[in-house]
Amino acid sequence: MLFCIGVNQNFFDLPTGQTGMTTGQDGMAWEGFITMLTELSQLPGVTVLGTIDDDQSVVGPAYTWPWTCYILAEVPDHQTVAAACNLLRTIQVGESGLWRYMKIEARVGRPLPEPWTNASASEKKPS
């Protein structure tokens, strides 16, 4: 499962001290985002495999690809995917939901074949 997250213009319209981006990772929007990451990782059956944050090379709102950040996770079922996405609705940032400042999209798919896992030891050795 790949969760793609984009911050929107509302995030950039916040006073600088409320984003958390220039105050040493402090601010209500950043705290809401950290809460979302924490709660997503604690959903039953979810294993976060890794994250990527493009914030140093992509500046400004991200409404579609390329997104601001990505979370790669093992997720047991579609219900859990929906619960993860719903976190943006339920986590409060001030008087608003986190969704006011960010968008999330879940990319659901099946794994590709892994032919390297079936190769014998002799096939794996360089010639």
Side-chain angles (χ1 to χ4, degrees):
M1 169 61 47
L2 183 65
F3 294 100
C4 308
I5 300 169
V7 295
N8 63 37
Q9 189 60 47
N10 290 332
F11 177 86
F12 293 101
D13 289 343
L14 284 170
T16 302
Q18 292 180 11
T19 64
M21 301 319 299
T22 59
T23 60
Q25 307 301 339
D26 192 16
M28 66 180 193
W30 183 254
E31 290 171 13
F33 179 69
I34 294 300
T35 298
M36 186 275 300
L37 288 175
T38 301
E39 290 187 18
L40 187 149
S41 71
Q42 294 173 347
L43 289 170
V46 171
T47 301
V48 175
L49 302 172
T51 62
I52 297 173
D53 190 350
D54 284 348
D55 72 325
Q56 292 183 341
S57 59
V58 178
V59 179
Y63 298 105
T64 186
W65 187 90
W67 298 97
T68 307
C69 61
Y70 307 84
I71 303 166
L72 182 62
E74 289 184 9
V75 181
D77 52 36
H78 188 267
Q79 181 179 356
T80 306
V81 172
C85 292
N86 195 51
L87 291 172
L88 270 70
R89 293 184 185 103
T90 60
I91 293 171
Q92 287 297 116
V93 175
E95 296 181 12
S96 302
L98 185 58
W99 62 267
R100 181 175 184 164
Y101 305 103
M102 299 176 181
K103 174 183 177 174
I104 189 167
E105 179 177 304
R107 305 299 302 171
V108 180
R110 57 191 173 107
L112 291 169
E114 298 178 7
W116 55 88
T117 61
N118 295 328
S120 69
S122 62
E123 292 172 324
K124 292 182 181 180
K125 292 181 181 176
S127 44

